[in-house]
Amino acid sequence: MTTTDEPRVLIFDTTLRDGEQSPGATMTHDEKLEIAQLLDDMGVDIIEAGFPIASEGDFEAVSAIARNAKNSVICGLARANFADIDRCWEAVKHARQPRIHTFIGTSPLHRDITALNQDEMVARIHDTVTHARNLCDNVQWSAMDAIRTERDYLCRVVEAAIRAGATTINIPDTVGYTLPEESAEIIRMLLERVPGADQVIFATHCHNDLGMATANSLAAVTAGARQIECTINGLGERAGNTALEEVVMAIKVRRDLLPYRTGIDTTKIMNLSRRVSQVSGFPVQFNKAIVGKNAFLHESGIHQDGVLKNVETFEIMRPADIGLNETNIAMGKHSGRAALRAKLADLGFEMGENQLKDVFVRFKALADRKKEIYDEDLVALMADQAANTDSDYLQVKWLRVICGSDGQTADLKMLVDGAEKTASTTGDGPVDAVFNAVKEIYPTKARLKLYQVHAVTEGTDAQATVSVRLEEDGRIVTGSAADTDTILASVKAYVGALNRLRVRSQKTAPDADVKSVSYHL
């Protein structure tokens, strides 16, 4: 049982900033606001809502999240210059609890990039943190690539940030290079050697390049760090960030060795995991800890027998602890609207009457094509409804594909900004034929970077979830769709990605050099 005597570990979620920097994981404005609200409701202490100077879209999203947040501290990221910090403050200042997060690369590699010597960098840290503190009482400072920074110099820059007024000091493992013992040793060293270290909160921000982000984060906590920076599903650049669900559940399950507490309502984890996966277009691997599809499944006869006799023989946590419905009861074409509403509520989807009406129509259409509809089918249905709407610039209205050994043809009808257009094309396979039809209707230079199909459930009538990743002029987006017809799901995912690409191409960054600077921590 958690007690108030246990030290509190703050959960700093950066899904909307570091997580969104995963190539193709860009979220729309409304999706960012929705995820932020879910994080706020779940009890996340600090939400890093974005990098306000990166683009007008980022600024607007951070500003809207700041205005809407009820409980969480809302944080924006800024490089170590006055323009970034001022823009960040403009975005977060309306939050009930705003925070400015400013950073600079302190390792020899990063000092070379910034062309600052050690003394010049210390002066830059002092000036920029002081400037941030004059705007906001809550200032976080990060030493980017701290793990590869000389220990004596790391102590020096941390002291400079504390003296300038930083209230949280973040020690990032920017490239996922450290090991647990080293992660703990660095935090312990800073607490022992840096004057004023006992007056601030130390944070840990780990990347997963060597698969040890969770272990490194927890090791830092045991050494005295009291803030973990993480993302839902471990989303993030390269191999990703520390996964929120992993560190939170590790603290919950292993209180004997991790006598700490968080403010997270863990029963909301599963719904958030699914929603982030849907809006980012990044499927959760089946064997992913905590939230993977197989995390609570037992196929071995010995395991099944043990679980039936005593669930604790092979399960260290209950599915209900993370909000996973323990009874996966199938629904069908005879199920009514009330049953659908109750089932969706169990899965974490709350909706008004008009939205339920639209979902019910899609549910009935799916039920006519499938014998049984399981929880996973409903999650896929909700994802498809959210990703492909009647207000999209590009919409798929009708499709016919003819396949055979003598060739494949596709006839497609689409709406382009409300205007009906058709195309008839051939291709090297049915998917290629359909994609060619889309390109004939809506010419694009976008290159296909990923085409991925997952069966939602078992059986020949299973829904397929398709993910499509496109790249154009350095912009990478992902679209996804679900249907029992894999080809139809494919074209809807492709068109969904094109819609996202169109939105992104309309946004311009006010600071032209932002894209050329590495700003992940």
Side-chain angles (χ1 to χ4, degrees):
M1 180 178 293
T2 302
T3 70
T4 55
D5 294 334
E6 295 171 339
R8 175 71 177 268
V9 174
L10 303 176
I11 299 299
F12 176 112
D13 183 274
T14 185
T15 302
L16 297 175
R17 201 277 301 169
D18 209 340
E20 204 212 9
Q21 287 175 209
S22 298
T26 303
M27 305 174 196
T28 66
H29 180 87
D30 290 342
E31 287 168 348
K32 289 180 180 180
L33 266 59
E34 179 192 355
I35 296 301
Q37 181 178 334
L38 292 172
L39 292 168
D40 194 23
D41 292 342
M42 188 172 71
V44 165
D45 298 286
I46 305 103
I47 299 172
E48 187 165 50
F51 187 28
I53 207 168
S55 70
E56 188 62 30
D58 247 31
F59 177 86
E60 291 172 357
V62 175
S63 181
I65 291 168
R67 294 174 187 274
N68 294 338
K70 295 182 175 64
N71 306 301
S72 302
V73 172
I74 302 302
C75 173
L77 185 67
R79 291 169 300 176
N81 64 64
F82 287 8
D84 273 42
I85 291 168
D86 289 342
R87 188 68 170 165
C88 180
W89 174 242
E90 285 299 314
V92 302
K93 68 181 182 181
H94 296 292
R96 294 185 182 185
Q97 302 178 79
R99 174 183 291 190
I100 294 173
H101 177 194
T102 184
F103 73 96
I104 195 168
T106 56
S107 70
L109 287 168
H110 285 273
R111 294 200 300 271
D112 287 343
I113 292 172
T114 57
L116 297 174
N117 63 36
Q118 291 190 359
D119 292 339
E120 290 169 337
M121 182 164 285
V122 169
R124 173 76 66 86
I125 293 166
H126 175 271
D127 292 346
T128 51
V129 173
T130 299
H131 183 69
R133 186 58 194 268
N134 286 336
L135 297 171
C136 182
D137 289 338
N138 191 337
V139 174
Q140 174 169 320
W141 178 79
S142 289
M144 185 166 66
D145 206 17
I147 302 302
R148 296 190 295 177
T149 300
E150 308 93 320
R151 296 294 188 263
D152 288 345
Y153 189 62
L154 184 60
C155 289
R156 184 182 173 191
V157 292
V158 167
E159 181 179 356
I162 294 173
R163 288 184 180 277
T167 51
T168 299
I169 300 294
N170 180 37
I171 307 300
D173 181 17
T174 302
V175 293
Y177 181 71
T178 193
L179 303 180
E181 183 178 343
E182 182 181 40
S183 178
E185 180 270 324
I186 291 174
I187 296 295
R188 196 175 294 117
M189 174 202 70
L190 293 170
L191 285 168
E192 291 173 354
R193 291 180 54 183
V194 176
D198 59 334
Q199 301 300 310
V200 300
I201 292 173
F202 276 85
T204 179
H205 177 117
C206 299
H207 281 259
N208 205 39
D209 297 71
L210 293 176
M212 286 184 280
T214 293
N216 289 333
S217 296
L218 294 173
V221 168
T222 63
R226 289 296 176 262
Q227 177 178 297
I228 297 177
E229 307 205 350
C230 47
T231 62
I232 300 296
N233 298 339
L235 194 65
E237 295 211 50
R238 304 184 315 278
N241 291 58
T242 301
L244 179 149
E245 62 275 7
E246 293 177 13
V247 290
V248 168
M249 291 309 296
I251 290 172
K252 184 181 179 74
V253 170
R254 290 308 308 269
R255 194 161 287 120
D256 55 329
L257 296 179
L258 298 168
Y260 312 106
R261 61 189 174 93
T262 72
I264 299 296
D265 179 353
T266 63
T267 64
K268 297 183 183 295
I269 285 176
M270 199 65 208
N271 180 45
L272 241 171
S273 169
R274 287 166 170 163
R275 193 67 189 114
V276 168
S277 177
Q278 291 160 8
V279 302
S280 68
F282 278 56
V284 177
Q285 66 191 62
F286 283 10
N287 63 335
K288 166 74 173 65
I290 314 299
V291 293
K293 183 177 180 180
N294 292 351
F296 292 95
L297 294 182
H298 306 274
E299 186 166 326
S300 160
I302 295 174
H303 284 223
Q304 290 174 339
D305 182 64
V307 168
L308 288 171
K309 292 175 180 175
N310 183 348
V311 71
E312 293 184 0
T313 54
F314 289 104
E315 287 187 5
I316 60 174
M317 66 194 91
R318 297 175 303 160
D321 290 342
I322 62 166
L324 185 63
N325 190 11
E326 294 188 65
T327 56
N328 191 10
I329 300 173
M331 298 182 70
K333 62 182 180 180
H334 300 297
S335 300
R337 191 174 302 183
L340 178 62
R341 181 195 288 274
K343 172 61 75 172
L344 289 174
D346 284 343
L347 295 173
F349 298 101
E350 300 290 344
M351 63 194 69
E353 195 60 36
N354 288 337
Q355 187 183 6
L356 178 64
K357 183 178 178 181
D358 293 338
V359 172
F360 189 66
V361 171
R362 294 192 181 210
F363 165 74
K364 283 294 188 180
L366 179 61
D368 285 336
R369 303 196 301 272
K370 288 198 77 208
K371 293 180 181 179
E372 295 179 314
I373 297 178
Y374 292 89
D375 292 359
E376 293 87 352
D377 290 307
L378 293 175
V379 171
L381 182 71
M382 294 300 293
D384 186 65
Q385 190 217 20
N388 302 282
T389 70
D390 292 337
S391 61
D392 288 339
Y393 183 81
L394 302 173
Q395 298 176 42
V396 177
K397 303 306 291 183
W398 180 83
L399 174 67
R400 179 175 61 194
V401 179
I402 300 174
C403 301
S405 59
D406 56 346
Q408 291 80 28
T409 62
D411 298 312
L412 177 66
K413 181 188 294 182
M414 287 177 55
L415 291 182
V416 180
D417 196 18
E420 186 175 291
K421 297 191 176 184
T422 61
S424 182
T425 56
T426 61
D428 184 14
V431 174
D432 186 52
V434 171
F435 284 10
N436 287 339
V438 173
K439 285 184 279 190
E440 182 171 308
I441 292 172
Y442 185 74
T444 176
K445 298 182 295 180
R447 293 185 299 154
L448 183 65
K449 305 291 287 185
L450 173 73
Y451 171 74
Q452 195 166 263
V453 181
H454 291 284
V456 175
T457 55
E458 295 78 16
T460 56
D461 63 350
Q463 283 194 96
T465 296
V466 178
S467 296
V468 169
R469 189 170 301 156
L470 301 178
E471 185 271 333
E472 183 181 51
D473 297 331
R475 302 181 183 93
I476 302 176
V477 296
T478 303
S480 62
D483 201 278
T484 53
D485 185 330
T486 304
I487 307 303
L488 183 56
S490 299
V491 69
K492 287 164 66 179
Y494 186 61
V495 168
L498 288 173
N499 278 316
R500 287 189 170 216
L501 195 58
R502 180 176 177 272
V503 171
R504 284 206 67 190
S505 65
Q506 292 174 338
K507 297 178 181 178
T508 57
D511 187 337
D513 71 339
V514 167
K515 294 297 182 183
S516 66
V517 177
S518 175
Y519 57 88
H520 71 279
L521 301 178

